Amino acid sequence: RVEEERCSGEGGGGRRLVAILETRAEVGEGSRDAIAVEVVRWTKEMEMEVVARLPVAVASAIPMDVDWSAQRRGRMAVATSVGVGVADIEPFQSWAMLVDPGAMPHCARWDPHSEWGLAIAADESIKIADQRLPFQAPVVSCTLKGASIKDLDFNPNRRNFIASASTDGCVRLWDLRKPTRAYTEYVRAHSHWANVVRFNPFHDSLLLSCGTDGVIQLWCTTSTAAGHEASTPVGTYPDHDASVYGLSWGTVNEFSFASVSYDGRFSVNFVPEIIKSELLLG
């Protein structure tokens, strides 16, 4: 069963690497699910070639998330319920599990501004780890009370800024230089869990969120936009009847985005024209 797919930047020969996080049922006495990461790429003949196959964990571990580093080509992080794995691919060099027995990781995100920075969302906390230091000594730690953090995304153009989505339905923006509390909270951004947050890679004041309520919200992280307060979305897209788990901005048209829900529905939407005009003309 495929749990997660994530495409890297250009791989060798200009071809992209795709990490597939999957659960396989092993056959035999005492059989149990084995979690593996399979890294593949497509050859010039458009055939799928396996670059590496990494065993992540066994038994009751649950696959969560996979992310590629923007700073180090071929470096990936995999979050499972028993820890976070870090590997260097193409050529395969190393594989190591970072285990924190006190929390269950939900996602791992590489800092696009740092070669060594890795953000890990584990239960109620965000830990920013420096890969050159012991995992048990995070550089920065942010904590919520009463809610688990489901997803993170770094601002691609501003250092030290990160967004989070959590089970209380809130979307929060954090300044890692002042980690004691979020500097902006979109309270009850979703009527149920907030699952995913994504900054626009070209216009970092635009932020998307989606949740188990089936709704996609578009936020403008500046104080006002088109007469909207910062605490209200500038766009609401109730396209799905089931929980939305996948969200991605377009790369050719930076004002487009796609979403996919648990029932398999795929949807493409666009930023409202008035918001687009303000960003382009302002």
Side-chain angles (χ1 to χ4, degrees), residues 70-147:
Q71 290 284 334
R72 296 193 65 178
R73 175 175 162 180
R75 170 161 283 195
M76 63 188 301
V78 182
T80 77
S81 58
V82 298
V84 176
V86 175
D88 287 305
I89 309 295
E90 202 186 39
F92 177 71
Q93 296 175 1
S94 62
W95 170 256
M97 286 292 290
L98 311 175
V99 179
D100 182 356
M104 176 189 292
H106 290 288
C107 80
R109 290 286 177 269
W110 291 104
D111 186 345
H113 309 288
S114 169
E115 181 178 351
W116 301 100
L118 179 65
I120 299 169
D123 292 337
E124 299 180 348
S125 67
I126 304 170
K127 295 183 178 180
I128 311 298
D130 187 323
Q131 295 299 288
R132 295 165 296 185
L133 301 175
F135 177 63
Q136 290 77 13
V139 178
V140 178
S141 182
C142 311
T143 304
L144 292 180
K145 291 184 178 180

Side-chain angles (χ1 to χ4, degrees), residues 44-280:
K44 294 180 180 179
E45 293 76 25
M46 295 306 294
E47 296 179 352
M48 192 171 68
E49 175 187 28
V50 177
V51 178
R53 186 177 288 113
L54 312 173
V56 178
V58 294
S60 59
I62 303 170
M64 297 292 186
D65 192 48
V66 59
D67 193 42
W68 292 94
S69 171
Q71 290 284 334
R72 296 193 65 178
R73 175 175 162 180
R75 170 161 283 195
M76 63 188 301
V78 182
T80 77
S81 58
V82 298
V84 176
V86 175
D88 287 305
I89 309 295
E90 202 186 39
F92 177 71
Q93 296 175 1
S94 62
W95 170 256
M97 286 292 290
L98 311 175
V99 179
D100 182 356
M104 176 189 292
H106 290 288
C107 80
R109 290 286 177 269
W110 291 104
D111 186 345
H113 309 288
S114 169
E115 181 178 351
W116 301 100
L118 179 65
I120 299 169
D123 292 337
E124 299 180 348
S125 67
I126 304 170
K127 295 183 178 180
I128 311 298
D130 187 323
Q131 295 299 288
R132 295 165 296 185
L133 301 175
F135 177 63
Q136 290 77 13
V139 178
V140 178
S141 182
C142 311
T143 304
L144 292 180
K145 291 184 178 180
S148 294
I149 298 172
K150 302 294 290 182
D151 193 40
L152 301 170
D153 197 35
F154 279 96
N155 188 313
N157 298 313
R158 298 181 65 190
R159 286 180 176 271
N160 299 311
F161 289 92
I162 194 169
S164 68
S166 50
T167 56
D168 57 2
C170 296
V171 172
R172 293 174 173 86
L173 303 180
W174 304 82
D175 183 343
L176 299 179
R177 296 165 297 184
K178 303 175 182 179
T180 53
R181 59 175 298 175
Y183 73 87
T184 297
E185 292 189 9
Y186 300 124
V187 180
R188 303 302 297 171
H190 295 272
S191 59
H192 202 246
W193 291 5
N195 276 334
V196 181
V197 282
R198 291 290 180 270
F199 278 106
N200 186 294
F202 303 99
H203 306 280
D204 54 35
S205 62
L206 294 179
L207 178 70
L208 286 171
S209 67
C210 66
T212 53
D213 56 0
V215 175
I216 303 158
Q217 302 281 30
L218 174 65
W219 309 91
C220 186
T221 60
T222 54
S223 57
T224 59
H228 291 76
E229 296 296 327
S231 59
T232 61
V234 296
T236 298
Y237 306 84
D239 291 1
H240 297 274
D241 297 324
S243 301
V244 186
Y245 285 97
L247 197 57
S248 180
W249 285 99
T251 54
V252 176
N253 181 346
E254 69 265 34
F255 295 106
S256 65
F257 55 91
S259 58
V260 64
S261 53
Y262 186 77
D263 58 3
R265 178 181 174 85
F266 177 81
S267 179
V268 175
N269 284 290
F270 298 88
V271 173
E273 285 295 324
I274 189 169
I275 306 299
K276 177 180 174 180
S277 297
E278 281 195 358
L279 290 171
L280 294 177

